Every structure is written in C-alpha cells, then in structure tokens.
Amino acid sequence: MRRRPSSSTAAARRPDAVSKAVSRFAAGWAQDALLVLAGVLAFFVVAGRFELFERLQAATRGLEHWQLDELPLTLLALSLGLLWFGWRRVVDARQALAARTVAEQQAQALLTENRELAQALIRVQDTERRALARELHDEFGQHCTAIRADARYIARATDVPAVAEGACRIDESAERLHGLVREMLDRLRPPDLDSLGLEAAVQALCERWEVQTGIGCAFVPRPGSPALPDDVAVTVYRLVQEALTNVARHAEASHVQIVFEPLPSAEGLRLRITDDGCGLAPDRHPAGAGGGHGLAGMRERVAGYGGTLKLDNVEGGGLRIEADLPLENLPA
Ligand SMILES: Nc1ncnc2c1ncn2[C@@H]1O[C@H](COP(=O)(O)OP(=O)(O)OP(=O)(O)O)[C@@H](O)[C@H]1O
Ligand SMILES: [Mg+2]
C-alpha cells in the first residue's frame, strides 16, 4: 500500500545537506583566495609600473632616524602574520563546523529515537486499551447479563413481594452497570473504528455529537483515500474526539467542520477542525499551554508521528486546529 522507509533513510539525507554546506563553504573559500591572488598580482603590476617600492624607499630614507625606512619590511611581516592568523581562523571554523555537524546528527538521532519511543508508547497504550476492552466486554458484560437473568428469575419465581422488588432493583442496577461498562468500552476502543473504518467512524461520531450538543457538525473526508494503519486511525479518531469535546466545552460555537485532506508536500494526512466559536483566549494562544491536558495530549500524539499541530484563531471568530500526520516515518 505504501512504503515505510526506515528512520535511517531520513538520517542519511541529513549528512547530504551538511556536505552541501561544507562544499559551499569550501567553494567560497577558494573564490576568496583567488580574489586575493588577483589583487596581489594587480598590485604587483601597478607597483612595477609606477616604481612604488622605490618611491616609498626614497620617501622614507629621509626619516631614517625614526626608523621609518624599515616600514616596507615591517608591512611584509604584518602581511605574513595576517596570513597565518587567517589560516588559523579557517582551521578553527572548520573544526567548529565539524563539531556542529556531529552535534546536529546526534540531536537528529535523539529526536528520531524520541519519536519512535512516543509512537511505541501510543501503540502499547492502544493495545492495552484494546485488551482491557476485550476483558471488560467478555467478563464484566457476561456477568452483568447473568445477574440480570437471575434477578428476573427470582422476581418471577418468588411469592414474596419484597423479594420481587429487591430482585427488580438488582436487575435495574445490573442494567445501569452494563450501560456504564458499554460507555467505558466505547472510550477505551472506539467500536465504530473496527466495524466501519476511520472515515465512517468519524462521520458517526460527528452525527452523534451533533445530536448530543445541538452544534452543527460537517465532515469532509478525503476522496478515494487509502485506509490508514490501525494506530494512525485510532490517533486521528482521538484527535477528533478531543477537539469536539473542547468545542462543546469552551467554544460557544454553532458549527464545526472536520476535514481530511492529503498533506501538500509528503505522504500523509492533514486533519483540520474549524469551529466558529470564540477562539483561544489571547493568554492561551498559540500553544494552549496551561490548564487542561487535552491539547497537550493531541500535540504528543501528533509529535509521535513526527507531525505538527497548529492552532490558529480564525478571522471573524473561532479556532482552527490543523494536525499534519506524515506517514513516511512510521516504523516498519
Ligand atoms: N475550540 C476551542 N475554542 C476556544 N477555546 C478552546 C478550544 N479548545 C481549547 N480551548 C481552550 O484551551 C484550553 C486548553 O484545552 P485542553 O483541551 O488542553 O484542556 P481542557 O479542555 O480545559 O481540559 P481537559 O481536556 O484536560 O479535560 C481550554 O481550557 C480552553 O480555554
Ligand atoms: Mg479538552
């Protein structure tokens, strides 16, 4: 379906950029040296033509008691000194550049490692959640059903009204518990994702949310988009969930739009969620720092894929969240 280059491919591209910078530096250095040589040659021709050295000698001879006749040789010594000084700076600059290159490569390697760890963490979390959801569904759900069946049996079989009432209350409590577990299951693992796929699951979420909140919600899917890997689909679903929760809680919006589109410059997905509410308060802008954990969690999830999360207040009111999820850095 799609190629997943290893992180080392991306790392291999970086030294390319570094070697380009080094060769640009070397080319500039050679150009400057040529200019200096041309200048010296031109000076030599002019000096020869106008006998500059002889004129200087003649001019300084009269000032011998000030030792100014030593000036030409002193200037030559100064030029040699400056040449040595310049050469030392070039060597220093090369060493600094090499050290910087190594540091940059180390920083990039650490960033890659960090991103892979974040991805692994998200995958482990989702696997755990799925396992927990399975356990809850199979164990808890079945026991609730059994309790309800027993309670109904007791209610039917007993002649004692107080016992029948008690059994009915047990039945109702077990039903409520079962409902609670079902809600928890939905939160642990969006059920629509498995059965419907991401786009239909987001559409269903959008419709449910619209009914619950009374805020209009429109979803624009990517035309003919290939299915995303499971963990990416869960991430996108969670991003939409948190953004919609925030709109309902903070935005005072009347409408929200969710758009999936391809990334302009790389393989991946851009998720854009725009509401027409009050937008982020200035002290929250642009990172949404402080306060809750929702935006921070969204940022972490996106960063796990080497992506970016942008929050912008839109003109005329409202907040636009743009999450870019490149799919090239996924581990094989
Ligand atoms: N769509 C939005 N419109 C206006 N303000 C928003 C919107 N989304 C988030 N915010 C602001 O950004 C803050 C941080 O959001 P975040 O989701 O991180 O935390 P929270 O929703 O307050 O709490 P939590 O998500 O942890 O339950 C919010 O408190 C709110 O002030
Ligand atoms: Mg929130």
Side-chain angles (χ1 to χ4, degrees), residues 11-24:
R13 264 186 246 123
R14 257 169 253 122
D16 255 19
V18 173
S19 62
K20 265 187 202 153
V22 170
S23 53
R24 254 203 317 273

Side-chain angles (χ1 to χ4, degrees), residues 98-210:
R100 209 167 139 176
T101 308
V102 171
E104 199 175 294
Q105 282 170 342
Q106 282 171 345
Q108 286 297 348
L110 280 174
L111 266 180
T112 308
E113 198 179 318
N114 203 5
R115 194 172 56 216
E116 283 170 2
L117 273 176
Q119 271 178 6
L121 197 71
I122 290 171
R123 269 198 304 278
V124 167
Q125 202 182 40
D126 284 331
T127 311
E128 286 272 304
R129 283 181 167 175
R130 208 185 295 199
L132 198 62
R134 217 171 26 240
E135 288 291 308
L136 266 178
H137 177 266
D138 293 354
E139 294 295 323
F140 212 96
Q142 279 186 15
H143 285 301
C144 278
T145 310
I147 291 170
R148 292 191 65 194
D150 285 345
R152 282 194 213 137
Y153 172 75
I154 292 170
R156 272 199 314 273
T158 184
D159 295 331
V160 185
V163 173
E165 274 171 29
C168 284
R169 281 198 298 276
I170 291 175
D171 183 19
E172 280 164 19
S173 296
E175 189 184 2
R176 271 202 296 278
L177 254 181
H178 205 176
L180 268 178
V181 170
R182 269 200 300 267
E183 273 176 28
M184 279 167 68
L185 287 181
D186 287 3
R187 282 210 296 275
L188 283 170
R189 172 76 192 170
D192 295 344
L193 260 188
D194 289 331
S195 52
L196 305 175
L198 175 65
E199 311 226 332
V202 169
Q203 179 64 49
L205 173 67
C206 203
E207 286 165 13
R208 269 200 314 274
W209 184 83
E210 196 174 50

